[in-house]
């Protein structure tokens, strides 16, 4: 009889530590130690050459972080996972591994603010070009890819535009030119989105969001599905001859992550490991509430427009359903009369908190244009196309009736 695959929460909770704990501790202890000691010079040599799997120094690896990485491997189904100090560290480590002077990244202007800034300003100084195109138009993507393209990059749901690209279509288009598809899947966590099913090669996640378990800490993850053939990459091709599809992770772990020094701290891994244990449960509650709130907001005359991909009348409903199921995350956006109406609404909320971040246990509101995109010049503000009358709501674990009441009283204050 074929063995049934266990439920994802069961699998997370059942995942044992990579190495047996001397005390039989049921929670992974926090190994808050910079370095690890050896009995002999030979053992030390073996550890430094990666022959024994032993830890040497916590900028490179750490037992607590390793336990967290192994659980992420378990939920994602990936071959290799690296935990780093933030979502931005995940994205920058990926591009420091695959980009090179003269290469280009094919993406769109509809990106998280710091990712936009990383591509447009930071990487530009190293001779990496960013090509903004319409990722919803596969022809346009194909036209922008050339021999120097190091990746096609997209967020699985663009924040705060709430657009959903066809990931299979993007993957096929990229792969035809031997280019990897890299996605930021922060908005819909495992177990609700399985990137590998859609041909994604590398996945980056801000684990600050759902996984941290209520905004406890900043963290990021790089997930390598190892389906991509790097032999055509000017940067990784040589390595691919020696280690095959492991080339990306070998370069990342062996060189880039060590040199940039943004490995995850053990204290963070401890908090995020706890968060991971309840992620499926919290996602179910917050995304369910989010969908209901989206429907509720649609009925209010003060609200001009609501965007949530789980609404049947949303333009991305079909592709979103295919990729993320019935509940595409716990974030929605909605528009009021103008920016002043948005500010007035924000100022009168009592339950929903005025803060950035996503997927805290508390519901959070923000006016994206004046905050996340606030320091951009007028020219770049136009490029990112974030409207002035729009608010972003991240839905937490509060009771839905209390959230509705809070929204109504602030709207009609
Ligand atoms: C928050 C966020 C990031 C950045 O993550 P940090 O952990 O804050 O560095 C990247 N992408 C998306 C979609 C995000 O929401």
């Amino acid at each position: 009889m074929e063995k049934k695959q266990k439920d994802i929460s069961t699998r997370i909770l059942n995942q044992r530590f990579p190495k047996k704990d001397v005390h039989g501790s049921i929670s992974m202890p926090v190994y808050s130690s910079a370095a690890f000691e050896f009995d002999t010079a030979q053992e030390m040599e073996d550890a430094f050459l990666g022959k024994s799997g032993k830890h040497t120094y916590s900028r490179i690896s750490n037992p607590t972080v390793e336990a967290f990485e192994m659980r992420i491997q378990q939920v994602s189904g990936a071959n290799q996972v690296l935990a780093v100090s933030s979502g931005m560290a995940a994205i920058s480590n990926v591009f420091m591994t695959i980009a090179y002077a003269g290469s280009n990244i094919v993406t769109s202007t509809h990106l998280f603010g710091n990712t936009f800034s990383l591509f447009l300003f930071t990487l530009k100084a190293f001779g990496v070009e960013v090509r903004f195109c319409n990722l919803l138009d596969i022809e346009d993507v194909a036209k922008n890819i050339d021999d120097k393209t190091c990746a096609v990059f997209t967020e699985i749901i663009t924040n705060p535009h709430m657009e959903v690209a066809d990931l299979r279509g993007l993957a096929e288009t990229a792969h035809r030119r031997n280019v990897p598809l890299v996605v930021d899947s922060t908005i819909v966590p495992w177990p609700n989105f399985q990137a590998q099913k859609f041909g994604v090669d590398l996945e980056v996640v801000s684990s600050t969001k759902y996984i941290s378990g209520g905004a406890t800490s900043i963290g990021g993850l790089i997930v390598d599905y190892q389906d991509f053939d790097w032999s055509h990459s000017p940067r990784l091709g040589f390595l691919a001859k020696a280690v095959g599809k492991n080339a990306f992770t070998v370069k990342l772990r062996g060189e880039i992550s060590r040199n940039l020094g943004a490995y995850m701290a053990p204290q963070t891994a401890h908090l995020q490991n706890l968060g991971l244990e309840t992620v499926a449960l919290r996602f179910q509650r917050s995304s369910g509430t989010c969908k209901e709130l989206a429907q509720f907001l649609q009925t209010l005359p003060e609200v001009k427009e609501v965007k949530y991909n789980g609404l049947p009348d949303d333009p991305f409903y079909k592709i979103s359903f295919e990729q993320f199921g019935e509940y595409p995350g716990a974030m929605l956006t909605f528009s009021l009369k103008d920016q002043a109406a948005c500010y007035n609404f924000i100022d009168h909320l009592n339950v929903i908190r005025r803060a950035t971040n996503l997927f805290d246990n508390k519901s959070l509101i923000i006016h994206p244009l004046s905050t996340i995109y606030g320091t951009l010049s007028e020219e770049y503000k136009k490029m990112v196309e974030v409207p002035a009358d729009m608010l972003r709501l991240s839905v937490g674990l509060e009771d839905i009736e209390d959230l509705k009441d809070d929204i109504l009283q602030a709207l009609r204050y």
Side-chain angles (χ1 to χ4, degrees):
M1 202 176 94
E2 204 180 316
K3 230 176 130 203
K4 183 176 153 282
Q5 168 93 303
K6 284 193 182 66
D7 165 79
I8 197 101
S9 288
T10 311
R11 280 191 281 139
I12 296 171
L13 295 166
N14 240 323
Q15 171 78 33
R16 303 302 204 271
F17 313 142
K19 286 150 204 151
K20 204 167 165 54
D21 179 69
V22 284
H23 302 292
S25 165
I26 198 160
S27 286
M28 185 66 188
V30 183
Y31 285 94
S32 186
S33 180
F36 301 88
E37 194 180 6
F38 297 89
D39 289 335
T40 66
Q42 187 59 50
E43 274 186 43
M44 225 168 154
E45 177 189 319
D46 290 347
F48 272 78
L49 298 184
K51 288 181 179 165
S52 62
K54 288 197 171 146
H55 302 280
T56 59
Y57 190 65
S58 288
R59 172 163 42 74
I60 297 166
S61 70
N62 172 282
T64 311
V65 185
E66 184 187 27
F68 179 51
E69 289 169 338
M70 286 201 64
R71 269 189 166 175
I72 295 294
Q73 229 171 301
Q74 174 67 256
V75 266
S76 64
N79 288 320
Q80 296 286 348
V81 175
L82 182 81
V84 289
S85 59
S86 69
M88 285 316 302
I91 300 170
S92 51
N93 268 269
V94 164
F95 283 96
M96 287 305 227
T97 308
I98 63 177
Y100 50 93
S103 68
N104 63 74
I105 302 163
V106 172
T107 186
S108 95
T109 59
H110 294 179
L111 289 170
F112 174 71
N114 288 111
T115 309
F116 180 71
S117 169
L118 172 75
F119 289 167
L120 195 59
F121 307 126
T122 313
L123 291 180
K124 191 181 181 177
F126 296 89
V128 178
E129 180 199 350
V130 57
R131 294 188 176 170
F132 294 123
C133 66
N134 180 4
L135 295 176
L136 304 173
D137 177 354
I138 295 290
E139 293 294 305
D140 193 30
V141 176
K143 265 195 296 203
N144 275 280
I145 298 176
D146 64 18
D147 293 343
K148 293 285 172 78
T149 302
C150 70
V152 172
F153 179 88
T154 187
E155 289 167 14
I156 59 168
I157 297 177
T158 62
N159 163 17
H161 304 84
M162 311 293 275
E163 293 164 342
V164 184
D166 169 11
L167 296 176
R168 269 202 194 94
L170 286 182
E172 281 166 20
T173 308
H175 293 163
R176 232 177 281 131
R177 302 291 302 267
N178 297 315
V179 169
L181 174 64
V182 182
V183 306
D184 178 337
S185 70
T186 301
I187 302 288
V188 185
W190 314 290
N192 294 70
F193 170 63
Q194 250 91 46
Q196 195 173 26
K197 274 207 277 188
F198 302 96
V200 169
D201 301 294
L202 299 173
E203 187 177 17
V204 289
V205 180
S206 167
S207 54
T208 312
K209 311 294 165 56
Y210 280 113
I211 293 168
S212 78
T216 62
S217 48
I218 303 279
L221 295 160
I222 301 169
V223 179
D224 179 3
Y225 289 97
Q226 290 198 337
D227 281 334
F228 190 70
D229 173 9
W230 295 100
S231 61
H232 303 278
S233 155
R235 188 84 193 280
L236 297 172
F238 186 73
L239 195 55
K241 286 200 183 80
V243 299
K245 290 185 172 178
N246 207 8
F248 172 81
T249 289
V250 166
K251 179 95 173 163
L252 175 70
R253 271 207 184 262
E255 175 193 329
I256 306 298
S257 164
R258 292 172 182 216
N259 294 351
L260 296 183
Y263 194 62
M264 182 175 273
Q267 291 83 358
T268 298
H270 172 69
L271 292 169
Q272 303 209 344
N273 220 345
L274 290 178
L276 188 65
E277 294 190 350
T278 57
V279 72
L281 193 65
R282 289 181 288 109
F283 181 79
Q284 207 172 18
R285 164 111 173 172
S286 63
S287 60
T289 307
C290 186
K291 186 170 180 171
E292 254 190 88
L293 275 186
Q295 282 159 337
F296 169 72
L297 285 163
Q298 279 187 319
T299 67
L300 304 178
E302 295 88 345
V303 176
K304 284 196 300 198
E305 189 187 20
V306 181
K307 284 190 181 174
Y308 181 66
N309 304 128
L311 295 175
D313 52 3
D314 184 89
F316 299 99
Y317 178 75
K318 198 167 156 277
I319 187 79
S320 165
F321 187 86
E322 233 181 276
Q323 296 179 163
F324 322 120
E326 203 179 329
Y327 299 102
M331 176 183 89
L332 61 81
T333 67
F334 60 101
S335 307
L336 299 178
K337 186 164 155 277
D338 50 23
Q339 181 161 339
C342 291
Y343 275 37
N344 187 58
F345 174 76
I346 290 176
D347 290 349
H348 290 98
L349 289 166
N350 297 321
V351 175
I352 298 169
R353 308 289 195 102
R354 287 164 284 273
T356 189
N357 200 11
L358 293 170
F359 319 126
D360 191 332
N361 295 334
K362 306 162 195 82
S363 294
L364 310 174
I365 192 108
I366 196 163
H367 180 258
L369 184 63
S370 63
T371 54
I372 298 168
Y373 301 91
T375 58
L376 291 179
S377 70
E378 288 309 312
E379 180 200 348
Y380 292 125
K381 272 185 189 157
K382 267 204 201 92
M383 256 169 100
V384 296
E385 299 177 300
V386 176
D389 61 359
M390 187 196 77
L391 291 166
R392 186 185 84 185
L393 177 66
S394 168
V395 178
L397 301 179
E398 302 93 340
D399 179 73
I400 184 152
E401 294 308 320
D402 294 329
L403 291 172
K404 284 182 185 171
D405 287 349
D406 196 34
I407 289 170
L408 273 186
Q409 66 78 27
L411 214 46
R412 294 174 182 171
Y413 194 87

